[in-house]
Amino acid sequence: MLTKQNIHKAYLLISAIVITAGAFLIMNLGDYFEPRGFLSFTVQSNLLTAIGFALMVVLYDSEGRLRSYISFSIIVSISITGLVYNLLLVPTTPEALPITSDFPNFSTHFLSMALALIGYFVFEKKGTFTIKHILASMIFPLTYWIVFVSIGERIDYFPYFFMEHPVIGWPMTFAWFGIILVVVAILGLLLVSFDKGGVPSALVRGRRRGE
């Protein structure tokens, strides 16, 4: 039977397949992410998104709270991928290609983010996101940062220039950490605001309280 629930499940599964294909294809683009492509935040956040979509299908008929945490965390993590790549890496990193250059690049840096946002806005129940969702969404990006800042020098590999403390120094490394933390918080707050009725509605309510 063609119901909204079945359409949503099919959307999640197809999206998971497309995103997984893009993630594995981008690991085979010569020197682009090689030799340790799997360790890049781009690949890991895309695979996390694909796994999250699959889990949402498995959990579809269960209580929706866990599904809402998965959806929120996916949106925040994959949005960080798109924003960091297009705003920081493309302008400053010679090997970073514009997203229109090929399907794997387009898929991992734009399409996956679009699929997560469309899935939420079209299918997901609204009004469930809270500050706890923001805190939960910080677990993956902050764990990723801590791990590679800690072991990067030992394995002679830093995924991104803003983690490379032997080159940019600890003060600048922590400054970038703060920036990323703020970006995550802002993305989370925007998403919670939209979920509760949208940023315009929130602003109107704020003005009314101030009158």
Side-chain angles (χ1 to χ4, degrees), residues 24-45:
F24 277 98
L25 285 172
I26 205 166
M27 286 191 285
N28 293 295
L29 292 181
D31 294 331
Y32 182 37
F33 275 127
E34 293 294 340
R36 306 180 189 185
F38 179 75
L39 300 180
S40 72
F41 189 86
T42 293
V43 172
Q44 293 200 14
S45 62

Side-chain angles (χ1 to χ4, degrees), residues 147-158 163 165-166 170:
V147 167
F148 282 101
V149 166
S150 300
I151 71 171
E153 196 167 11
R154 296 179 187 176
I155 66 174
D156 193 29
Y157 177 73
F158 291 93
M163 294 178 169
H165 57 83
W170 281 110

Side-chain angles (χ1 to χ4, degrees), residues 53-111:
F53 280 161
L55 284 175
M56 288 171 69
V57 174
V58 173
L59 298 169
Y60 202 90
D61 297 321
S62 63
E63 193 271 325
R65 187 175 181 181
L66 179 57
R67 209 171 74 229
S68 74
Y69 274 95
I70 295 172
S71 176
F72 191 97
S73 297
I74 282 173
I75 293 171
V76 171
S77 292
I78 206 65
S79 296
I80 292 172
T81 296
L83 291 173
V84 169
Y85 185 83
N86 291 289
L87 297 180
L88 294 180
L89 298 184
V90 170
T92 60
T93 309
E95 62 269 24
L97 304 172
I99 60 170
T100 55
S101 59
D102 49 62
F103 169 75
N105 199 30
F106 173 75
S107 175
T108 53
H109 295 115
F110 178 77
L111 182 59

Side-chain angles (χ1 to χ4, degrees), residues 191-210:
L191 190 52
V192 169
S193 180
F194 273 112
D195 188 64
K196 299 300 184 185
V199 170
S201 299
L203 292 175
V204 169
R205 290 194 296 270
R207 286 199 296 269
R208 286 176 179 172
R209 285 195 295 267

Side-chain angles (χ1 to χ4, degrees), residues 91-173:
T92 60
T93 309
E95 62 269 24
L97 304 172
I99 60 170
T100 55
S101 59
D102 49 62
F103 169 75
N105 199 30
F106 173 75
S107 175
T108 53
H109 295 115
F110 178 77
L111 182 59
S112 53
M113 178 174 60
L115 290 172
L117 289 170
I118 291 170
Y120 163 71
F121 283 112
V122 174
F123 296 106
E124 289 293 317
K125 180 182 177 181
K126 308 303 185 295
T128 62
F129 293 160
T130 66
I131 298 299
K132 291 182 180 179
H133 285 74
I134 300 177
L135 297 176
S137 71
M138 291 181 175
I139 294 173
F140 173 64
L142 296 188
T143 300
Y144 182 90
W145 187 92
I146 291 170
V147 167
F148 282 101
V149 166
S150 300
I151 71 171
E153 196 167 11
R154 296 179 187 176
I155 66 174
D156 193 29
Y157 177 73
F158 291 93
Y160 303 100
F161 72 88
F162 45 81
M163 294 178 169
E164 200 168 0
H165 57 83
V167 175
I168 66 174
W170 281 110
M172 187 58 69
T173 303

